[in-house]
Amino acid sequence: MTPLGIDLGRLSFDRGAHLLLQRALAGLAPGDRMAVTGSDPALPVHLRAWCRAHGHRAEVNEDRFSVVRGRADLDRWAGAERAGDPSPANLADAPPARWGLAARGALVEAGGPEPRFDLGHRDAVWADVAPALYRHAASAQWDPDEAVDWTTEFALPTEIEQAVVQVMTYLIENEQAALVVPARLLGRIHPHFREVMQLLAVQTADEARHMEVFTRRALLHGGNLGTSSAGGRESLATLLDEPDFSMASFMLSVLGEGTFLNLLEFLERTAPDPVTRRVTGLARRDEARHVAFGVAHLHHLGTIDPHLRPRLRAAVERRHDALLDTAGLNQDVFDALVVLAAGSWSADAIGRGWDQVQALQTEMDEGRRRRLVHIGFPDDEATELSRLHTRNFM
């Protein structure tokens, strides 16, 4: 191949000859002529057709062929722009809708669709820890069939087993809410912030997996699931009604899942059997990532938005008022926690179990207050807001 000629040999256009021709033309200026030779019988027909389709001019004179380079391919990309920088360290604050689903950093042809992503500003969704959390989340995925030995043999007293089933039933419905919230938010985020999308996608997978293992543990020895209270479901329904990304992250991850970290640690510690201990421990490690992102996002937003704290406070108060007339935590769940902590039905054991559940609620309160202080609330306000958090834990 020379700047003014290319030999296609026996290669036909239906087997990739256009790639060689296209490569040769790329080095020429519009109006330059390039000779084309080749032995394929269909070369003159295919050369004319290809040139017409791509804005060049084919000249065929008996067995001599040439192409005059056009500029259609150049004009096509004249208004193109890069969709920002590929690195998450150089994100655009407000990526335009015209970048749409293009990969971050790609050269975007002008004139494409402009899908609407209402969570389209960096500060609305971002936390600098998101890329690292996603990498950790992706590497820490586990298979319920491999991570849990479901064949472990154990036998619990009937009422202890019933307590486990009741707690598992409660965990399942909470995990279902924890799946729906990020799943709803996911499709609203501009793909420019792909690390947040990836992280939330893994989070929904985490919750789906938790639902599976809690269900499998509940049904491990046959029988039915436990009870689901109207008040508990009403508490969870308030999480589904929050359209704001930051408010939803606050209510679900900082307060709800943060509180659940204490609950899962308690269950792992007091579990009467190895399967219960294993599934609650695995879930707790996943939930810690969810909480870490929520806290990091709110901490980031709090440094730039002076109105964030009043909005967060209003969200807590609004939810508290909406749930004021509900019964709070399902009594069956509370009693099951006491029984699990007690381990038996003696009066002394039940008393110790009761004390441990009270201590658990104190730990939950302390954890909420620490996270609230971290995102910018003073101690006294953090104490008050923690007290207003739903009695249903999540």
Side-chain angles (χ1 to χ4, degrees), residues 6-231:
I6 181 174
D7 182 9
L8 300 177
R10 293 179 298 174
L11 188 65
S12 64
F13 270 73
D14 56 7
R15 293 186 59 241
H18 70 284
L19 293 174
L20 297 180
L21 185 57
Q22 193 169 268
R23 178 171 177 262
L25 289 171
L28 303 182
D32 286 351
R33 178 179 282 97
M34 182 179 67
V36 180
T37 59
S39 58
D40 176 42
L43 177 60
V45 175
H46 288 169
L47 183 63
R48 287 192 185 98
W50 186 86
C51 286
R52 280 197 304 272
H54 292 83
H56 308 297
R57 188 172 81 249
E59 296 181 345
V60 178
N61 184 9
E62 296 182 353
D63 60 347
R64 289 182 297 181
F65 317 120
S66 62
V67 174
V68 177
R69 199 212 196 287
R71 60 172 306 112
D73 58 331
L74 302 176
D75 291 342
R76 174 184 176 185
W77 295 100
E81 61 181 324
R82 290 284 171 189
D85 190 294
S87 171
N90 300 309
L91 292 175
D93 286 338
R98 64 181 176 273
W99 289 359
L101 296 171
R104 194 170 64 215
L107 184 64
V108 180
E109 181 182 5
E114 298 189 7
R116 181 177 179 273
F117 299 99
D118 63 298
L119 295 176
H121 195 282
R122 180 179 187 273
D123 294 332
V125 299
W126 189 251
D128 287 338
V129 75
L133 277 178
Y134 168 68
R135 290 193 298 271
H136 179 270
S139 66
Q141 295 299 288
W142 46 274
D143 182 343
D145 285 328
E146 295 182 359
V148 182
D149 185 359
W150 300 100
T151 65
T152 301
E153 294 185 5
F154 64 89
L156 301 178
T158 299
E159 290 172 309
I160 300 296
E161 177 67 20
Q162 289 173 344
V164 172
V165 170
Q166 178 58 65
V167 170
M168 292 295 125
T169 303
Y170 168 75
L171 293 178
I172 294 164
E173 69 179 26
N174 281 268
E175 296 288 19
Q176 288 177 165
L179 184 152
V180 170
V181 172
R184 285 184 170 181
L185 296 171
L186 191 54
R188 297 169 52 197
I189 299 172
H190 194 298
H192 187 73
F193 310 111
R194 61 178 176 81
E195 290 83 359
V196 176
M197 295 177 65
Q198 291 168 313
L199 189 58
L200 291 185
V202 176
Q203 183 171 332
T204 60
D206 288 342
E207 307 299 7
R209 195 169 53 243
H210 299 169
M211 290 157 52
E212 176 187 345
V213 296
F214 293 152
T215 301
R216 289 174 70 170
R217 172 58 190 95
L219 300 177
L220 192 59
H221 291 151
N224 297 315
L225 294 179
T227 63
S228 172
S229 68

Side-chain angles (χ1 to χ4, degrees), residues 47-48 79 84 99 121 159 227 243 260 282 298 301 352 356 393:
L47 183 63
R48 287 192 185 98
W99 289 359
H121 195 282
E159 290 172 309
T227 63
F260 252 56
L282 288 168
L298 270 299
L301 192 56
R352 288 193 301 271
Q356 288 185 57
F393 299 164

Side-chain angles (χ1 to χ4, degrees), residues 229-240:
S229 68
R233 296 196 309 279
E234 188 167 352
S235 178
L236 295 175
T238 61
L239 296 174
L240 309 185

